[in-house]
Every structure is written in structure tokens, then in C-alpha cells.
mmCIF file of all heavy atoms in Angstrom:
data_model
loop_
_atom_site.group_PDB
_atom_site.id
_atom_site.type_symbol
_atom_site.label_atom_id
_atom_site.label_comp_id
_atom_site.label_asym_id
_atom_site.label_seq_id
_atom_site.Cartn_x
_atom_site.Cartn_y
_atom_site.Cartn_z
ATOM 1 N N GLU F 64 -6.529 -8.002 -11.625
ATOM 2 C CA GLU F 64 -6.597 -6.899 -12.586
ATOM 3 C C GLU F 64 -7.164 -5.610 -11.987
ATOM 4 O O GLU F 64 -6.927 -4.526 -12.504
ATOM 5 C CB GLU F 64 -7.447 -7.301 -13.795
ATOM 6 C CG GLU F 64 -6.893 -8.487 -14.553
ATOM 7 C CD GLU F 64 -5.523 -8.210 -15.142
ATOM 8 O OE1 GLU F 64 -5.294 -7.102 -15.657
ATOM 9 O OE2 GLU F 64 -4.674 -9.110 -15.066
ATOM 10 N N ARG F 65 -7.950 -5.717 -10.909
ATOM 11 C CA ARG F 65 -8.570 -4.515 -10.352
ATOM 12 C C ARG F 65 -8.611 -4.484 -8.831
ATOM 13 O O ARG F 65 -9.114 -3.535 -8.235
ATOM 14 C CB ARG F 65 -9.981 -4.341 -10.907
ATOM 15 C CG ARG F 65 -10.911 -5.482 -10.557
ATOM 16 C CD ARG F 65 -12.254 -5.358 -11.271
ATOM 17 N NE ARG F 65 -13.116 -6.451 -10.872
ATOM 18 C CZ ARG F 65 -14.259 -6.303 -10.243
ATOM 19 N NH1 ARG F 65 -14.717 -5.104 -9.972
ATOM 20 N NH2 ARG F 65 -14.974 -7.344 -9.896
ATOM 21 N N GLY F 66 -8.057 -5.471 -8.182
ATOM 22 C CA GLY F 66 -8.117 -5.555 -6.729
ATOM 23 C C GLY F 66 -6.891 -5.018 -6.023
ATOM 24 O O GLY F 66 -6.252 -4.062 -6.477
ATOM 25 N N ALA F 67 -6.558 -5.654 -4.914
ATOM 26 C CA ALA F 67 -5.456 -5.191 -4.066
ATOM 27 C C ALA F 67 -4.126 -5.168 -4.811
ATOM 28 O O ALA F 67 -3.337 -4.232 -4.655
ATOM 29 C CB ALA F 67 -5.350 -6.070 -2.820
ATOM 30 N N ALA F 68 -3.869 -6.169 -5.647
ATOM 31 C CA ALA F 68 -2.600 -6.208 -6.388
ATOM 32 C C ALA F 68 -2.491 -5.011 -7.335
ATOM 33 O O ALA F 68 -1.436 -4.377 -7.433
ATOM 34 C CB ALA F 68 -2.485 -7.513 -7.170
ATOM 35 N N ALA F 69 -3.568 -4.706 -8.042
ATOM 36 C CA ALA F 69 -3.559 -3.558 -8.961
ATOM 37 C C ALA F 69 -3.423 -2.249 -8.188
ATOM 38 O O ALA F 69 -2.718 -1.338 -8.616
ATOM 39 C CB ALA F 69 -4.831 -3.552 -9.804
ATOM 40 N N LEU F 70 -4.089 -2.154 -7.048
ATOM 41 C CA LEU F 70 -4.000 -0.954 -6.223
ATOM 42 C C LEU F 70 -2.554 -0.721 -5.789
ATOM 43 O O LEU F 70 -2.016 0.383 -5.938
ATOM 44 C CB LEU F 70 -4.903 -1.087 -4.995
ATOM 45 C CG LEU F 70 -4.920 0.107 -4.048
ATOM 46 C CD1 LEU F 70 -5.589 1.304 -4.705
ATOM 47 C CD2 LEU F 70 -5.622 -0.247 -2.755
ATOM 48 N N LEU F 71 -1.901 -1.769 -5.293
ATOM 49 C CA LEU F 71 -0.520 -1.633 -4.826
ATOM 50 C C LEU F 71 0.444 -1.325 -5.968
ATOM 51 O O LEU F 71 1.369 -0.530 -5.804
ATOM 52 C CB LEU F 71 -0.078 -2.901 -4.102
ATOM 53 C CG LEU F 71 -0.767 -3.170 -2.766
ATOM 54 C CD1 LEU F 71 -0.332 -4.520 -2.215
ATOM 55 C CD2 LEU F 71 -0.492 -2.071 -1.763
ATOM 56 N N SER F 72 0.229 -1.927 -7.130
ATOM 57 C CA SER F 72 1.147 -1.685 -8.245
ATOM 58 C C SER F 72 1.035 -0.262 -8.779
ATOM 59 O O SER F 72 1.962 0.235 -9.414
ATOM 60 C CB SER F 72 0.911 -2.691 -9.375
ATOM 61 O OG SER F 72 -0.324 -2.453 -10.009
ATOM 62 N N GLY F 73 -0.069 0.420 -8.498
ATOM 63 C CA GLY F 73 -0.237 1.803 -8.936
ATOM 64 C C GLY F 73 0.176 2.835 -7.912
ATOM 65 O O GLY F 73 0.126 4.036 -8.168
ATOM 66 N N ALA F 74 0.608 2.384 -6.734
ATOM 67 C CA ALA F 74 0.980 3.319 -5.660
ATOM 68 C C ALA F 74 2.121 4.231 -6.099
ATOM 69 O O ALA F 74 3.018 3.827 -6.829
ATOM 70 C CB ALA F 74 1.373 2.544 -4.410
ATOM 71 N N ASP F 75 2.065 5.464 -5.642
ATOM 72 C CA ASP F 75 3.063 6.464 -5.994
ATOM 73 C C ASP F 75 3.584 7.108 -4.716
ATOM 74 O O ASP F 75 2.870 7.203 -3.725
ATOM 75 C CB ASP F 75 2.409 7.520 -6.897
ATOM 76 C CG ASP F 75 3.417 8.458 -7.529
ATOM 77 O OD1 ASP F 75 4.580 8.062 -7.719
ATOM 78 O OD2 ASP F 75 3.032 9.602 -7.826
ATOM 79 N N GLN F 76 4.802 7.552 -4.739
ATOM 80 C CA GLN F 76 5.420 8.270 -3.626
ATOM 81 C C GLN F 76 5.428 7.447 -2.339
ATOM 82 O O GLN F 76 5.202 7.961 -1.256
ATOM 83 C CB GLN F 76 4.716 9.610 -3.389
ATOM 84 C CG GLN F 76 4.727 10.517 -4.594
ATOM 85 C CD GLN F 76 3.869 11.753 -4.418
ATOM 86 O OE1 GLN F 76 3.135 11.886 -3.451
ATOM 87 N NE2 GLN F 76 3.958 12.648 -5.369
ATOM 88 N N GLY F 77 5.695 6.146 -2.474
ATOM 89 C CA GLY F 77 5.737 5.273 -1.301
ATOM 90 C C GLY F 77 6.930 5.572 -0.413
ATOM 91 O O GLY F 77 8.042 5.764 -0.892
ATOM 92 N N THR F 78 6.671 5.621 0.886
ATOM 93 C CA THR F 78 7.713 5.883 1.871
ATOM 94 C C THR F 78 7.548 4.918 3.034
ATOM 95 O O THR F 78 6.484 4.890 3.664
ATOM 96 C CB THR F 78 7.609 7.325 2.403
ATOM 97 O OG1 THR F 78 7.672 8.229 1.321
ATOM 98 C CG2 THR F 78 8.720 7.623 3.380
ATOM 99 N N THR F 79 8.576 4.138 3.310
ATOM 100 C CA THR F 79 8.525 3.245 4.464
ATOM 101 C C THR F 79 8.662 4.087 5.725
ATOM 102 O O THR F 79 9.619 4.830 5.877
ATOM 103 C CB THR F 79 9.643 2.189 4.399
ATOM 104 O OG1 THR F 79 9.512 1.465 3.177
ATOM 105 C CG2 THR F 79 9.565 1.235 5.578
ATOM 106 N N GLU F 80 7.678 3.955 6.602
ATOM 107 C CA GLU F 80 7.638 4.775 7.814
ATOM 108 C C GLU F 80 8.126 4.035 9.060
ATOM 109 O O GLU F 80 8.678 4.646 9.965
ATOM 110 C CB GLU F 80 6.210 5.270 8.068
ATOM 111 C CG GLU F 80 5.676 6.159 6.992
ATOM 112 C CD GLU F 80 4.269 6.636 7.276
ATOM 113 O OE1 GLU F 80 3.482 5.901 7.916
ATOM 114 O OE2 GLU F 80 3.937 7.752 6.854
ATOM 115 N N ALA F 81 7.851 2.724 9.124
ATOM 116 C CA ALA F 81 8.189 1.980 10.339
ATOM 117 C C ALA F 81 8.102 0.486 10.072
ATOM 118 O O ALA F 81 7.627 0.061 9.020
ATOM 119 C CB ALA F 81 7.238 2.353 11.474
ATOM 120 N N ARG F 82 8.539 -0.264 11.062
ATOM 121 C CA ARG F 82 8.358 -1.712 11.064
ATOM 122 C C ARG F 82 7.609 -2.009 12.352
ATOM 123 O O ARG F 82 8.063 -1.622 13.439
ATOM 124 C CB ARG F 82 9.715 -2.408 11.019
ATOM 125 C CG ARG F 82 9.618 -3.897 10.855
ATOM 126 C CD ARG F 82 10.984 -4.480 10.536
ATOM 127 N NE ARG F 82 10.875 -5.919 10.379
ATOM 128 C CZ ARG F 82 11.810 -6.658 9.811
ATOM 129 N NH1 ARG F 82 12.920 -6.092 9.374
ATOM 130 N NH2 ARG F 82 11.650 -7.955 9.696
ATOM 131 N N GLU F 83 6.468 -2.684 12.236
ATOM 132 C CA GLU F 83 5.641 -2.932 13.418
ATOM 133 C C GLU F 83 4.798 -4.188 13.222
ATOM 134 O O GLU F 83 4.676 -4.683 12.101
ATOM 135 C CB GLU F 83 4.744 -1.725 13.714
ATOM 136 C CG GLU F 83 3.849 -1.315 12.566
ATOM 137 C CD GLU F 83 3.235 0.060 12.744
ATOM 138 O OE1 GLU F 83 3.793 0.893 13.474
ATOM 139 O OE2 GLU F 83 2.182 0.301 12.146
ATOM 140 N N ALA F 84 4.216 -4.674 14.308
ATOM 141 C CA ALA F 84 3.373 -5.864 14.253
ATOM 142 C C ALA F 84 1.931 -5.469 13.954
ATOM 143 O O ALA F 84 1.408 -4.518 14.525
ATOM 144 C CB ALA F 84 3.439 -6.616 15.568
ATOM 145 N N VAL F 85 1.324 -6.209 13.040
ATOM 146 C CA VAL F 85 -0.094 -6.034 12.715
ATOM 147 C C VAL F 85 -0.744 -7.407 12.789
ATOM 148 O O VAL F 85 -0.379 -8.310 12.036
ATOM 149 C CB VAL F 85 -0.282 -5.439 11.298
ATOM 150 C CG1 VAL F 85 -1.755 -5.347 10.951
ATOM 151 C CG2 VAL F 85 0.384 -4.091 11.180
ATOM 152 N N GLU F 86 -1.669 -7.576 13.716
ATOM 153 C CA GLU F 86 -2.343 -8.864 13.896
ATOM 154 C C GLU F 86 -1.317 -9.989 14.070
ATOM 155 O O GLU F 86 -1.478 -11.077 13.527
ATOM 156 C CB GLU F 86 -3.265 -9.156 12.708
ATOM 157 C CG GLU F 86 -4.326 -8.113 12.445
ATOM 158 C CD GLU F 86 -5.414 -8.083 13.506
ATOM 159 O OE1 GLU F 86 -5.864 -9.166 13.922
ATOM 160 O OE2 GLU F 86 -5.809 -6.975 13.909
ATOM 161 N N GLY F 87 -0.226 -9.693 14.783
ATOM 162 C CA GLY F 87 0.799 -10.693 15.051
ATOM 163 C C GLY F 87 1.791 -10.924 13.919
ATOM 164 O O GLY F 87 2.627 -11.814 13.990
ATOM 165 N N VAL F 88 1.718 -10.118 12.859
ATOM 166 C CA VAL F 88 2.612 -10.258 11.712
ATOM 167 C C VAL F 88 3.598 -9.100 11.704
ATOM 168 O O VAL F 88 3.200 -7.940 11.815
ATOM 169 C CB VAL F 88 1.797 -10.258 10.391
ATOM 170 C CG1 VAL F 88 2.712 -10.280 9.182
ATOM 171 C CG2 VAL F 88 0.822 -11.424 10.362
ATOM 172 N N ASP F 89 4.893 -9.414 11.577
ATOM 173 C CA ASP F 89 5.927 -8.391 11.460
ATOM 174 C C ASP F 89 5.781 -7.734 10.091
ATOM 175 O O ASP F 89 5.848 -8.417 9.063
ATOM 176 C CB ASP F 89 7.306 -9.038 11.615
ATOM 177 C CG ASP F 89 8.437 -8.038 11.569
ATOM 178 O OD1 ASP F 89 8.250 -6.882 12.005
ATOM 179 O OD2 ASP F 89 9.525 -8.409 11.091
ATOM 180 N N ALA F 90 5.542 -6.420 10.065
ATOM 181 C CA ALA F 90 5.220 -5.755 8.799
ATOM 182 C C ALA F 90 5.882 -4.394 8.682
ATOM 183 O O ALA F 90 6.208 -3.751 9.679
ATOM 184 C CB ALA F 90 3.705 -5.590 8.682
ATOM 185 N N TYR F 91 6.076 -3.970 7.424
ATOM 186 C CA TYR F 91 6.537 -2.616 7.123
ATOM 187 C C TYR F 91 5.312 -1.738 6.889
ATOM 188 O O TYR F 91 4.410 -2.118 6.144
ATOM 189 C CB TYR F 91 7.394 -2.600 5.860
ATOM 190 C CG TYR F 91 8.696 -3.332 6.009
ATOM 191 C CD1 TYR F 91 8.894 -4.559 5.404
ATOM 192 C CD2 TYR F 91 9.736 -2.781 6.756
ATOM 193 C CE1 TYR F 91 10.096 -5.235 5.532
ATOM 194 C CE2 TYR F 91 10.941 -3.455 6.892
ATOM 195 C CZ TYR F 91 11.109 -4.682 6.281
ATOM 196 O OH TYR F 91 12.304 -5.346 6.421
ATOM 197 N N ARG F 92 5.292 -0.568 7.517
ATOM 198 C CA ARG F 92 4.224 0.417 7.288
ATOM 199 C C ARG F 92 4.719 1.376 6.207
ATOM 200 O O ARG F 92 5.759 2.015 6.359
ATOM 201 C CB ARG F 92 3.900 1.177 8.570
ATOM 202 C CG ARG F 92 2.745 2.163 8.381
ATOM 203 C CD ARG F 92 2.404 2.886 9.661
ATOM 204 N NE ARG F 92 3.455 3.855 9.950
ATOM 205 C CZ ARG F 92 3.846 4.189 11.168
ATOM 206 N NH1 ARG F 92 3.313 3.639 12.235
ATOM 207 N NH2 ARG F 92 4.791 5.088 11.342
ATOM 208 N N VAL F 93 3.964 1.451 5.108
ATOM 209 C CA VAL F 93 4.362 2.261 3.959
ATOM 210 C C VAL F 93 3.234 3.239 3.621
ATOM 211 O O VAL F 93 2.105 2.833 3.361
ATOM 212 C CB VAL F 93 4.656 1.375 2.725
ATOM 213 C CG1 VAL F 93 5.065 2.223 1.538
ATOM 214 C CG2 VAL F 93 5.725 0.343 3.053
ATOM 215 N N ALA F 94 3.555 4.530 3.630
ATOM 216 C CA ALA F 94 2.589 5.561 3.216
ATOM 217 C C ALA F 94 2.756 5.776 1.722
ATOM 218 O O ALA F 94 3.872 5.734 1.191
ATOM 219 C CB ALA F 94 2.854 6.863 3.967
ATOM 220 N N ALA F 95 1.642 5.994 1.028
ATOM 221 C CA ALA F 95 1.690 6.191 -0.424
ATOM 222 C C ALA F 95 0.443 6.931 -0.878
ATOM 223 O O ALA F 95 -0.502 7.133 -0.113
ATOM 224 C CB ALA F 95 1.796 4.846 -1.141
ATOM 225 N N THR F 96 0.457 7.312 -2.142
ATOM 226 C CA THR F 96 -0.716 7.899 -2.788
ATOM 227 C C THR F 96 -1.185 6.905 -3.845
ATOM 228 O O THR F 96 -0.368 6.353 -4.584
ATOM 229 C CB THR F 96 -0.359 9.246 -3.449
ATOM 230 O OG1 THR F 96 0.145 10.119 -2.432
ATOM 231 C CG2 THR F 96 -1.568 9.875 -4.105
ATOM 232 N N PHE F 97 -2.484 6.678 -3.903
ATOM 233 C CA PHE F 97 -3.051 5.697 -4.817
ATOM 234 C C PHE F 97 -3.885 6.401 -5.882
ATOM 235 O O PHE F 97 -4.697 7.273 -5.565
ATOM 236 C CB PHE F 97 -3.896 4.688 -4.034
ATOM 237 C CG PHE F 97 -3.081 3.941 -3.015
ATOM 238 C CD1 PHE F 97 -2.977 4.424 -1.715
ATOM 239 C CD2 PHE F 97 -2.387 2.812 -3.358
ATOM 240 C CE1 PHE F 97 -2.192 3.760 -0.778
ATOM 241 C CE2 PHE F 97 -1.599 2.139 -2.427
ATOM 242 C CZ PHE F 97 -1.501 2.620 -1.144
ATOM 243 N N PRO F 98 -3.703 6.032 -7.164
ATOM 244 C CA PRO F 98 -4.407 6.699 -8.255
ATOM 245 C C PRO F 98 -5.920 6.495 -8.165
ATOM 246 O O PRO F 98 -6.397 5.412 -7.816
ATOM 247 C CB PRO F 98 -3.863 6.036 -9.521
ATOM 248 C CG PRO F 98 -2.766 5.148 -9.110
ATOM 249 C CD PRO F 98 -2.828 4.978 -7.629
ATOM 250 N N ALA F 99 -6.653 7.534 -8.500
ATOM 251 C CA ALA F 99 -8.115 7.499 -8.430
ATOM 252 C C ALA F 99 -8.699 6.342 -9.219
ATOM 253 O O ALA F 99 -9.609 5.656 -8.749
ATOM 254 C CB ALA F 99 -8.692 8.825 -8.929
ATOM 255 N N GLU F 100 -8.174 6.096 -10.431
ATOM 256 C CA GLU F 100 -8.756 5.039 -11.256
ATOM 257 C C GLU F 100 -8.571 3.654 -10.644
ATOM 258 O O GLU F 100 -9.419 2.778 -10.821
ATOM 259 C CB GLU F 100 -8.211 5.083 -12.688
ATOM 260 C CG GLU F 100 -6.726 4.881 -12.821
ATOM 261 C CD GLU F 100 -5.895 6.142 -12.658
ATOM 262 O OE1 GLU F 100 -6.438 7.231 -12.375
ATOM 263 O OE2 GLU F 100 -4.668 6.046 -12.808
ATOM 264 N N ARG F 101 -7.504 3.446 -9.882
ATOM 265 C CA ARG F 101 -7.292 2.149 -9.211
ATOM 266 C C ARG F 101 -8.206 2.013 -7.997
ATOM 267 O O ARG F 101 -8.769 0.959 -7.745
ATOM 268 C CB ARG F 101 -5.837 1.987 -8.789
ATOM 269 C CG ARG F 101 -4.834 2.040 -9.920
ATOM 270 C CD ARG F 101 -4.709 0.699 -10.638
ATOM 271 N NE ARG F 101 -3.844 0.783 -11.781
ATOM 272 C CZ ARG F 101 -2.641 0.244 -11.852
ATOM 273 N NH1 ARG F 101 -2.148 -0.419 -10.827
ATOM 274 N NH2 ARG F 101 -1.932 0.353 -12.954
ATOM 275 N N VAL F 102 -8.352 3.099 -7.239
ATOM 276 C CA VAL F 102 -9.219 3.061 -6.056
ATOM 277 C C VAL F 102 -10.678 2.929 -6.485
ATOM 278 O O VAL F 102 -11.457 2.192 -5.872
ATOM 279 C CB VAL F 102 -9.021 4.320 -5.184
ATOM 280 C CG1 VAL F 102 -9.972 4.302 -3.988
ATOM 281 C CG2 VAL F 102 -7.577 4.422 -4.711
ATOM 282 N N ALA F 103 -11.060 3.599 -7.570
ATOM 283 C CA ALA F 103 -12.459 3.599 -8.030
ATOM 284 C C ALA F 103 -12.943 2.210 -8.437
ATOM 285 O O ALA F 103 -14.151 1.951 -8.399
ATOM 286 C CB ALA F 103 -12.631 4.575 -9.185
ATOM 287 N N THR F 104 -12.047 1.307 -8.798
ATOM 288 C CA THR F 104 -12.491 -0.051 -9.123
ATOM 289 C C THR F 104 -12.971 -0.793 -7.878
ATOM 290 O O THR F 104 -13.750 -1.724 -7.977
ATOM 291 C CB THR F 104 -11.382 -0.875 -9.809
ATOM 292 O OG1 THR F 104 -10.287 -1.025 -8.923
ATOM 293 C CG2 THR F 104 -10.941 -0.232 -11.108
#
């Protein structure tokens, strides 16, 4: 209700920038803006 899942569901203006490895995991890098009320939790 207030953690990472809520933060991601509130993301706005998401743009996929690249595909790269993070800690050995193949991942998409996505830039976005996160609402203040979601981050503040």
C-alpha cells in the first residue's frame, strides 16, 4: 500500500532508456517522475 509497488504504480512520464545488466540481472532502465505523496511514505 505504501512501498515499492505503490511508488512504481504512481510513476509518471516513464521512458525506457536502455537494457542493461544490474547485479547480474538483465533489466530495463526506465526514467520517470514519482509523485511526492508516494515518495513521502
